[in-house]
Amino acid sequence: MAVMGFCLSLNLPLHAVSFALACGIPGIALLTVAVNPLTGFLGALNIFLYTCCYTPLKRHSISNTWVGAVVGAIPPVMGWTAATGCLEPGALLMGGFLYCWQFPHFNALSWNLREDYSRGGYRMMSVTHPAMCKRVALRHSLGLIGLSTLAPVLDVTTWTFPVISLPINLYISYLAFRFYRQGDRGSARKLFFCSLWHLPMLLLLALTCKKPRGEQEAPPTAAAALALQS
């Protein structure tokens, strides 16, 4: 039994790798062939970053959180490239929302799990750099306000979006400021639960205020049609 258990323990990593390859390779191929090569490339890049960079870094450096934020930011970029076939400023904006949001979300979550992370040997900001953990959460919460203001500048949304999204962005920034000042379990928990509804609400507001594609081309086309008729 002991030998069998030892063999099974040796086979588990092989099973995990086999399952990952069985899912990852067809998935990337499907994205490349059925969608477009750019989206397939981004999917392959994300798998590489998650498995070869983010996961190993958890035991070596707090930079794992920044790499993990990039991993979380790529899927909405893939959605944009899947729909348009190109990497536009709007795609980077969507990725930026996810990137910034992950710091108040994860830093608040990890704050109340510091003991578990420490026992597991994971090098998280909340364990090794607690002051930085709170500061980074606040900084990126404020960054959401700046990104929301940038959306109409990039012609992704109308100017209504930064106005109507300001209350929820100010609220998560307020909770991040409380977490920064107090650094207790209660403030971390409130910031984390706020992050759960903040992101879908922010993206829903952006969708509501989106600027239709081709809106800029409509007036010249109408003018040309009138000129032809005259």
Side-chain angles (χ1 to χ4, degrees):
M1 292 295 292
V3 174
M4 184 181 295
F6 178 71
C7 292
L8 287 174
S9 68
L10 289 179
N11 286 334
L12 282 178
L14 178 60
H15 291 165
V17 171
S18 300
F19 180 78
L21 291 174
C23 295
I25 293 177
I28 295 170
L30 184 63
L31 286 173
T32 302
V33 175
V35 183
N36 55 60
L38 177 57
T39 305
F41 167 75
L42 289 173
L45 175 64
N46 221 22
I47 291 175
F48 170 78
L49 288 175
Y50 193 96
T51 57
C52 299
C53 300
Y54 170 58
T55 301
L57 277 173
K58 287 182 178 180
R59 293 186 178 273
H60 299 286
S61 170
I62 62 170
S63 62
N64 73 82
T65 306
W66 279 268
V67 177
V70 173
V71 171
I74 289 179
V77 178
M78 293 174 62
W80 190 287
T81 60
T84 65
C86 56
L87 194 61
E88 298 174 328
L92 301 179
L93 178 68
M94 293 297 106
F97 280 136
L98 268 291
Y99 180 85
C100 280
W101 170 84
Q102 284 175 92
F103 287 95
H105 172 73
F106 179 74
N107 287 15
L109 172 65
S110 66
W111 189 262
N112 290 339
L113 299 173
R114 285 176 293 172
E115 295 81 5
D116 295 331
Y117 280 125
S118 181
R119 285 194 295 267
Y122 291 100
R123 296 184 63 81
M124 299 298 176
M125 269 189 287
S126 58
V127 177
T128 61
H129 298 73
M132 180 187 292
C133 178
K134 297 182 291 182
R135 188 168 62 249
V136 168
L138 175 59
R139 182 189 307 148
H140 286 81
S141 296
L142 294 171
L144 291 168
I145 301 176
L147 287 174
S148 298
T149 307
L150 189 61
V153 177
L154 297 176
D155 279 336
V156 178
T157 69
T158 64
W159 281 100
T160 307
F161 172 65
V163 176
I164 63 175
S165 64
L166 185 60
I168 64 172
N169 285 335
L170 286 176
Y171 184 63
I172 195 172
S173 298
Y174 164 72
L175 293 180
F177 178 73
R178 287 188 58 186
F179 172 58
Y180 171 73
R181 291 295 300 272
Q182 299 175 5
D184 57 6
R185 289 182 174 271
S187 59
R189 190 177 299 110
K190 288 180 179 179
L191 177 58
F192 170 72
F193 282 114
C194 173
S195 70
L196 296 180
W197 60 260
H198 174 274
L199 180 64
M201 180 64 70
L202 182 68
L203 297 180
L204 180 62
L205 291 175
L207 178 63
T208 304
C209 301
K210 71 175 182 177
K211 183 171 288 186
R213 294 180 64 85
E215 187 179 80
Q216 304 299 326
E217 290 79 3
T221 302
L226 288 175
L228 288 173
Q229 289 176 3
S230 62

